[in-house]
Amino acid sequence: MSKAIHVENAPQFPLPFSHAIRSGDFVYVSGQVGVDPVTRELAGDTIEAQTRQCLRNIEIILEKAGLTLDHVIKSNAFVSRSEDFPGYNKTYAEVFNSPYPARTTAPVDLGAYLVEIDVIAFAPAKREEIG
């Protein structure tokens, strides 16, 4: 059985999706971008600022499910400009604890957004506890 997770203090967009879906032991968080949750304004014009805010938005959604970023086992990231990959990687490594989640990163056209990330979290355990 699946349950939708809607979070009032996460960015709201007039689009047909749930912030997250909990299905059994897994929480699937929809793609988030680097915008302020209240104003929906970009968190900045750098990949570092937008990545940090994007991951903060994911963290807010996970908190509603009783989880943290340490429960994330897989992330998919879409970066607008290939030249931003080093800044994205640096910020990602600063926000996530090791061992890092499995990850896919691909360059795509996101318009004004520099990054979009979705994640899968494993509810029963944090990454370092999975064995």
Side-chain angles (χ1 to χ4, degrees):
M1 181 160 228
S2 297
K3 179 183 176 192
I5 299 170
H6 297 283
V7 183
E8 288 188 26
N9 59 336
Q12 305 292 320
F13 290 95
L15 300 169
F17 69 89
S18 298
H19 283 120
I21 296 288
R22 185 174 196 138
S23 183
D25 288 339
F26 296 92
V27 175
Y28 301 84
V29 178
S30 293
Q32 297 296 306
V33 293
V35 297
D36 180 278
V38 176
T39 65
R40 286 195 325 220
E41 297 290 323
L42 291 172
D45 60 359
T46 67
I47 190 66
E48 293 85 358
Q50 288 190 30
T51 300
R52 192 169 306 283
Q53 183 63 53
C54 180
L55 292 171
R56 177 66 188 129
N57 294 341
I58 289 169
E59 188 173 38
I60 289 167
I61 295 166
L62 288 171
E63 286 171 359
K64 176 76 173 191
L67 305 175
T68 69
L69 289 174
D70 288 330
H71 289 90
V72 173
I73 58 170
K74 174 73 167 91
S75 70
N76 297 303
F78 308 94
V79 178
S80 282
R81 303 180 306 220
S82 295
E83 63 268 21
D84 282 339
F85 275 54
Y88 165 75
N89 283 322
K90 178 179 178 279
T91 305
Y92 186 95
E94 290 171 357
V95 174
F96 275 105
N97 294 317
S98 180
Y100 300 112
R103 184 181 101 178
T104 300
T105 306
V108 298
D109 183 1
L110 298 170
Y113 305 120
L114 298 180
V115 63
E116 180 175 352
I117 303 171
D118 68 78
V119 302
I120 300 170
F122 183 62
K126 295 178 179 178
R127 281 186 311 281
E128 69 271 5
E129 299 169 346
I130 299 171

